[in-house]
Amino acid sequence: MKTVGVRIVKLFVGLFLFAVGIVMTINGNLGLAPWDTFHQGLANITGLTIGRVNIIVGSIIVLFNCLLGERIGWGTLSNMIFIGIFMDLLMLNNLIPIAQGLLSGLIMMCSGMFIIGIGSCFYMRAGFGSGPRDGLMVALTKKTHKPVGLVRSSIEIMVLFAGYLLGGTLGVGTLVAALGIGYFVQLAFKVLKFDVKSVHHRFIDEDIKELRRMLSKTVKSAEEN
């Protein structure tokens, strides 16, 4: 139980840092990353906050991933719900300042992407499953048998185009985020000495099976007594 508790703490620290990083890239005020452009576009036409849109889009992606045969972890669901909640907490309370110039905006964006990498490291180390969007990338890679880089780039381009049509903000920061996010995440993983392949994820279906086994054992023990 102590080990599980530590993993849960890692999960939520990672999700909070991830949200901090996203808000920093938004408040860099130089244009949004592809997914954030899409979320902002939907927020503009629905009147919802970006955090709530993030949750709704994540929910739809999780359902789609399930249809594609991807396994879901508690971390997947937590990612879907709590990153959006943390984003709203940060943005609605103006806890992270908005950059007012090109240099400060670039510094904020780059710092945000690095913090996203740190957050990813924490929540992935917890071993409760990947986030909805990472799961989508994996699912489509399996189904199409195309290189993961091509699949990821295709998703980003389609999401960016959809966000643009919906009125999302584009700018130099969009290009910085599209080209730099992978590098900064990789840098954060290297600094924290994190190897993605070393993590064994536990999925919800495994916990359900374990719960059924425990209940069956309890019932059997009660009948024998």
Side-chain angles (χ1 to χ4, degrees):
M1 290 301 296
K2 182 179 179 180
T3 301
V4 172
V6 171
R7 290 170 61 196
I8 291 174
V9 170
K10 286 182 180 179
L11 171 65
F12 280 92
V13 168
L15 296 179
F16 181 75
L17 289 174
F18 201 103
V20 169
I22 292 176
V23 174
M24 288 181 69
T25 62
I26 293 173
N27 287 4
N29 206 23
L30 297 176
L32 306 180
W35 277 106
D36 295 322
T37 302
F38 181 59
H39 295 153
Q40 186 193 53
L42 285 175
N44 289 340
I45 64 173
T46 61
L48 299 172
T49 64
I50 291 182
R52 289 181 181 177
V53 170
N54 191 301
I55 293 171
I56 293 170
V57 171
S59 303
I60 295 171
I61 294 173
V62 167
L63 291 175
F64 188 64
N65 290 349
C66 289
L67 292 175
L68 291 175
E70 280 301 296
R71 300 172 73 189
I72 306 300
W74 297 111
T76 308
L77 300 183
S78 298
N79 182 301
M80 176 187 79
I81 297 170
F82 286 99
I83 287 180
I85 291 175
F86 291 147
M87 285 177 63
D88 278 350
L89 174 67
L90 294 165
M91 297 183 76
L92 295 177
N93 291 285
N94 299 313
L95 297 178
I96 295 178
I98 298 176
Q100 300 299 325
L102 177 61
L103 180 59
S104 61
L106 286 172
I107 291 173
M108 183 170 283
M109 283 205 72
C110 292
S111 300
M113 288 187 286
F114 183 70
I115 291 174
I116 286 173
I118 294 175
S120 299
C121 177
F122 269 87
Y123 98 75
M124 291 180 70
R125 264 182 175 165
F128 288 115
S130 60
R133 293 156 187 81
D134 291 333
L136 176 63
M137 176 187 67
V138 172
L140 291 177
T141 298
K142 291 178 180 177
K143 290 293 182 182
T144 62
H145 303 291
K146 300 296 183 181
V148 64
L150 176 62
V151 172
R152 180 61 180 262
S153 297
S154 299
I155 293 173
E156 297 287 319
I157 291 171
M158 288 189 289
V159 167
L160 179 61
F161 183 65
Y164 171 72
L165 294 178
L166 293 170
T169 304
L170 302 182
V172 64
T174 307
L175 181 62
V176 171
L179 297 178
I181 185 65
Y183 171 79
F184 281 102
V185 170
Q186 181 179 340
L187 177 62
F189 283 13
K190 184 175 181 180
V191 170
L192 296 176
K193 298 180 180 179
F194 174 55
D195 181 8
V196 177
K197 297 178 182 178
S198 67
V199 179
H200 172 70
H201 289 286
R202 186 172 182 87
F203 299 99
I204 292 175
D205 61 308
E206 292 177 303
D207 289 330
I208 292 174
K209 290 178 181 177
E210 180 67 16
L211 181 60
R212 286 177 177 173
R213 186 190 67 79
M214 292 173 63
L215 289 174
S216 177
K217 185 177 180 180
T218 300
V219 171
K220 185 178 179 180
S221 177
E223 290 176 346
E224 290 176 351
N225 293 331

